[in-house]
Amino acid sequence: MGRGGATRTTDVVSLSGQVPPHEDCVLRDMIERWCREKPDAVFVKVHRGPAVTYADMRDRVVRTASGIRALGIRQGDKVVVWMPNSLECLELWFAINWLGAVYVPINVAYCGNLLQHVLRISEARVILAHRDLVPRLAEVDTAELTTLVSIGGVACRPEKLAVHDGSCLEGEAADLPPLERPIEPWDPQSIIFTSGTTGPSKGVLSSYAHMHAMSGRDAFPMLTGADRYMCNLPLFHVGGTIAIAAMLARGGSIAIVPQFSTREFWDAVRETETTFVLLLGAMASFILSEPASDRDRDHSLRNVVVIPLTEAALDFATRFGTDLYTFFNMSEISVPLVSRPNPTRAGICGRPRPGVIVRLVDENDCEVPTGTIGQLVIRTDTPWAMNSGYQGDPAATAAAWRNGWFHTGDLFRVDDDGQYVFVDRQKDAVRRRGENVSSFEVEREILAHPAVCEAAVVPVSAAVSEDEILCVVAPKRGQSIDPEELLRFLEPRLAHFMMPRYVRVIPELPKTPTQKIEKYVLRREGLAPGTWDRDAAGIRIRRGTLSEIRKG
């Protein structure tokens, strides 16, 4: 029996209403558990790389934890990790949690003001970063950071930081003292940054119990300890962390790939013997756009989750011989809506899973009549099964949790079959290739251009899935705006996925009587005559993150 008294199996036990036992949710305790029960079982298979057993992983993690502790990190401290998907990134995450410290991963595309903002919010003193990303730290205020570990060698030494090579993390297990106290399920495990919607990015405080709820049996009823879950989404996003948590909880295994590639997808599935994967809608569309092959069903994949569920994705199960699912989730919540196997209609997100209570409400939090569109708000019957607030932002926490419900900011309706159907984002955001792009962040950088007087960023429909970014700008008196020059100005200031595809220049933006920009007018007008298209102009935007979905 575990510390919580629940029977241990290789599947996650549903404990609706109860905080899960330590050995079912606390990362350090889960690793110890599987090292006792199945030390030689493979936990990680790296695409075109090594296979790592639970026992091997524990040894790697303990040595790295010893090195991190030598930097002065103690239980409860925050540690920033700025790394692409890799075995090394996973080891850093696990080592931080082994110490009872908090894993704070950040997007490898961040630069400029956005990078500076998340570093300030993190309150971290230590950052573990890939050497290729380090030069960006020299361009910003590094807030409370005092120490940088440059993984892969030291190529740059930002001022005000003590810089170490990654070899400093090769500690000795014998030098690692015991914890000051047990790590509890309600302790913070990570801070995952949102992309920002109505303002700057927020850091979501996530406990061990929250991650357990997000990846547990009620959220993923199709997963067992015999599965291998491919992690092809970044480890700085909930889409990546959830894969790791789900299989660690079940004593299963994961496959790590550096990034998604359409042409390499099935080879990666076969080589790693992946049985489960989560795909963004655009990913599924790209895979389905490849020519049919006599090897379409020659693979190990059994279950696929596609988010959002597009029309194209509905053909996935039939063509490739898998079961298909979809669900709704955010960094702050814990997969409240889950579909049945093989849904037949695009746009649905499923039904409420056990352990959650959902409502659709109006602007006053009053429940709307059946069939009416409303904002989705959520509660759970288990303590700590959702976020613990926003790091360093009590006002945003209070607003999101008002009246005892978490407000998603997303609009839904319920169909005649009881399925929850996503309608629109109440927040002013653009969804591009799996990234939530804050219009606030993009507009702020556009307005820094010396010729720009006004700016608004709105979504327009993309050919494949989700949105493309349109920015509408008005020049200052006597100035003119060249769209290509504007994008060159923005390139060092924005992550590549935030860069607008379309630029429309007009004399003045439409406004309300109170001088607020009427974005709904710009959305309705869309790609009006004269709109400049960087794709048509042959302009290429640099890559800087493994979260970019590339075709080929």
Side-chain angles (χ1 to χ4, degrees):
M1 302 288 284
R3 271 199 262 180
T7 302
R8 294 180 301 172
T9 69
T10 56
D11 294 335
V12 178
V13 176
S14 178
L15 294 171
S16 183
Q18 303 178 44
V19 174
H22 291 68
E23 292 185 357
D24 284 347
C25 75
V26 175
L27 186 141
R28 177 167 173 156
D29 291 317
M30 287 191 289
I31 294 175
E32 294 280 33
R33 166 187 171 179
W34 299 122
C35 280
R36 291 192 305 269
E37 297 185 10
K38 48 195 308 184
D40 299 326
V42 171
F43 173 52
V44 182
K45 176 64 180 78
V46 181
H47 180 38
R48 296 180 182 146
V52 181
T53 67
Y54 275 98
D56 289 341
M57 192 68 189
R58 181 192 184 280
D59 291 344
R60 290 168 180 252
V61 168
V62 173
R63 290 196 302 270
T64 303
S66 180
I68 293 174
R69 195 179 193 284
L71 298 173
I73 294 300
R74 300 295 183 267
Q75 195 164 352
D77 288 346
K78 286 98 174 172
V79 182
V80 171
V81 175
W82 203 17
M83 292 280 291
N85 278 20
S86 60
L87 180 59
E88 291 75 16
C89 182
L90 192 63
E91 291 172 4
L92 296 176
W93 167 13
F94 282 17
I96 291 165
N97 282 170
W98 191 271
L99 297 172
V102 184
Y103 170 63
V104 187
I106 61 175
N107 194 317
V108 296
Y110 283 170
C111 59
N113 288 334
L114 187 53
L115 173 61
Q116 183 172 297
H117 168 72
V118 298
L119 291 177
R120 179 183 59 80
I121 286 181
S122 75
E123 300 179 350
R125 293 179 291 106
V126 174
I127 181 170
L128 314 176
H130 191 280
R131 58 169 287 168
D132 293 345
L133 301 173
V134 169
R136 297 184 209 169
L137 290 172
E139 302 169 357
V140 300
D141 180 353
T142 51
E144 297 183 28
L145 290 179
T146 60
T147 304
L148 160 69
V149 178
S150 183
I151 309 297
V154 177
C156 176
R157 293 181 177 273
E159 294 182 7
K160 301 181 181 180
L161 296 181
V163 182
H164 304 272
D165 181 85
S167 61
C168 76
L169 301 182
E170 299 171 3
E172 295 293 334
D175 297 334
L176 194 60
L179 292 169
E180 298 173 6
R181 63 170 180 81
I183 303 170
E184 302 292 353
W186 43 83
D187 285 342
Q189 177 181 15
S190 62
I191 298 174
I192 304 293
F193 281 93
T194 68
S195 298
T197 50
T198 55
S201 299
K202 298 185 287 292
V204 179
L205 278 163
S206 181
S207 68
Y208 291 92
H210 176 210
M211 188 63 72
H212 174 272
M214 196 182 300
S215 59
R217 190 177 71 182
D218 291 331
F220 286 84
M222 72 297 287
L223 271 179
T224 74
D227 279 301
R228 178 165 295 167
Y229 190 146
M230 178 183 285
C231 183
N232 59 0
L233 294 173
L235 291 176
F236 52 75
H237 274 188
V238 69
T241 55
I242 200 172
I244 313 300
M247 300 325 295
L248 186 59
R250 290 163 174 78
S253 60
I254 58 171
I256 292 183
V257 297
Q259 62 184 2
F260 173 81
S261 169
T262 304
R263 293 178 184 170
E264 296 180 2
F265 176 75
W266 289 115
D267 286 342
V269 167
R270 295 180 187 108
E271 192 263 338
T272 60
E273 298 181 313
T274 291
T275 65
F276 184 94
V277 69
L278 188 153
L279 298 173
L280 303 177
M283 292 177 173
S285 296
F286 287 154
I287 294 170
L288 284 158
S289 69
E290 291 291 292
S293 164
D294 57 7
R295 299 198 70 194
D296 277 353
R297 295 198 172 198
D298 177 22
H299 56 76
S300 53
L301 198 61
R302 294 198 296 267
N303 294 300
V304 177
V305 172
V306 177
I307 306 171
L309 189 62
T310 61
E311 290 287 349
L314 293 173
D315 297 330
F316 201 99
T318 302
R319 175 172 168 182
F320 298 112
T322 68
D323 278 331
L324 177 68
Y325 297 82
T326 191
F327 59 62
F328 172 74
N329 196 41
M330 303 166 58
S331 300
E332 293 96 328
I333 56 180
S334 48
V335 193
L337 304 176
V338 182
S339 77
R340 293 171 179 168
N342 304 312
T344 58
R345 287 187 295 107
I348 67 166
C349 295
R351 296 175 174 83
R353 68 166 176 82
V356 301
I357 307 100
V358 303
R359 299 170 63 206
L360 299 183
V361 301
D362 62 16
E363 64 273 14
N364 297 309
D365 286 353
C366 298
E367 192 162 3
V368 299
T370 302
T372 305
I373 294 172
Q375 181 186 180
L376 184 72
V377 297
I378 307 170
R379 297 174 68 172
T380 62
D381 63 6
T382 302
W384 306 100
M386 290 204 292
N387 71 87
S388 303
Y390 294 113
Q391 166 73 8
D393 198 340
T397 301
W401 279 102
R402 67 181 183 271
N403 292 322
W405 294 80
F406 181 79
H407 292 64
T408 65
D410 289 326
L411 302 175
F412 283 79
R413 62 179 174 81
V414 181
D415 67 14
D416 294 337
D417 194 33
Q419 302 262 24
Y420 280 70
V421 181
F422 179 79
V423 175
D424 201 357
R425 295 174 187 87
Q426 194 175 53
K427 305 167 185 176
D428 194 9
V430 182
R431 180 79 171 176
R432 182 181 184 273
R433 299 285 179 90
E435 298 280 357
N436 286 323
V437 178
S438 166
S439 61
F440 174 90
E441 299 280 0
V442 180
E443 288 163 1
R444 183 177 65 184
E445 301 303 336
I446 294 172
L447 289 167
H449 189 283
V452 174
C453 176
E454 298 177 309
V457 167
V458 296
V460 293
S461 297
V464 177
S465 175
E466 301 176 331
D467 304 319
E468 291 286 3
I469 300 172
L470 164 67
C471 75
V472 185
V473 292
K476 293 179 180 177
R477 187 182 299 274
Q479 299 277 351
S480 62
I481 299 171
D482 174 50
E484 182 174 342
E485 191 277 328
L486 175 61
L487 261 63
R488 296 302 180 201
F489 172 83
L490 294 174
E491 188 170 4
R493 308 172 74 95
L494 293 173
H496 66 91
F497 61 80
M498 303 170 77
M499 293 287 287
R501 174 177 170 178
Y502 300 105
V503 179
R504 183 183 171 205
V505 182
I506 58 178
E508 183 179 358
L509 271 60
K511 301 182 189 68
T512 67
T514 56
Q515 296 302 296
K516 292 185 179 179
I517 294 172
E518 294 178 316
K519 285 193 173 182
Y520 76 91
V521 174
L522 300 176
R523 292 190 191 98
R524 184 182 62 212
E525 294 174 344
L527 302 179
T531 301
W532 182 85
D533 179 0
R534 66 171 161 85
D535 283 8
I539 306 299
R540 295 179 62 84
I541 301 300
R542 62 175 171 78
R543 295 187 184 279
T545 170
L546 298 181
S547 71
E548 175 73 355
I549 303 169
R550 59 185 177 91
K551 188 177 183 182

